[in-house]
Amino acid sequence: MAKRPKTLSDDDKALWKKVAESTTRLRPAKPDLPVEQHTEVSSPRQKRPKPIKVEHAKFRLGERAATRPNPHDLAPSMSDRIAANPVAMDRKTFGKMKKGRISPEARIDLHGMTIAQAYPVLTRFILSSVEADCRLVLVITGKGKHKDEGGPIPVRHGVLRHQVPHWLHTAPLRQHVLQISEAHLKHGGQGAYYVYLRRRR
């Protein structure tokens, strides 16, 4: 079988032209589109909004940070807690007592005792002072020795100094105690308490 030539000869081209001219179209020819329609219509570029410049106030690092005094102090000191208690007794008498102008009628020294030893001694002392019609008594606790054990939790020193006010505010002593105050320096200062008792009914 003979191979077809890749290109048509001049005679073949002329023959094909005559055949094409003698034929009629089955469908009408499409009109030529204008050049503009052949080109891709580019969408107009959207204008990007200009960035807004925000001017921040100049500041120094940490200038608005709140200072926290004593960050490791988990509770107010005993002196602050006693001082925050409302005055239940006569204010003039209270002022004299705070200035050390009133002498205690009885006193007890719990310094050096353990909690187990000090609680019954204090209870007997307050109840006997009430029976004796005493109004102002002095309870000496001592300031306590500071022992830093190096642990992660801070430990308060002066166990009795912190425990005595709690005992005085619980039964059976609270019904007899009118006011507790830190003693004046001449009576022991932070190592002692004034205990002002109620009158017997």
Side-chain angles (χ1 to χ4, degrees), residues 124-135:
R124 284 195 301 268
F125 170 72
I126 295 296
L127 294 179
S128 62
S129 298
V130 172
E131 289 293 325
D133 290 329
C134 295
R135 297 304 308 274

Side-chain angles (χ1 to χ4, degrees), residues 79-138:
S79 299
D80 293 338
R81 282 191 282 177
I82 295 293
N85 290 336
V87 178
M89 57 185 288
D90 178 64
R91 289 189 174 273
K92 188 178 289 186
T93 307
F94 179 76
K96 291 180 181 180
M97 181 182 72
K98 286 288 291 179
K99 294 176 181 178
R101 293 179 182 174
I102 304 176
S103 298
E105 301 168 54
R107 67 179 62 204
I108 188 170
D109 191 353
L110 305 176
H111 187 262
M113 294 185 187
T114 63
I115 291 178
Q117 294 169 339
Y119 179 69
V121 172
L122 177 67
T123 303
R124 284 195 301 268
F125 170 72
I126 295 296
L127 294 179
S128 62
S129 298
V130 172
E131 289 293 325
D133 290 329
C134 295
R135 297 304 308 274
L136 181 63
V137 297
L138 183 69

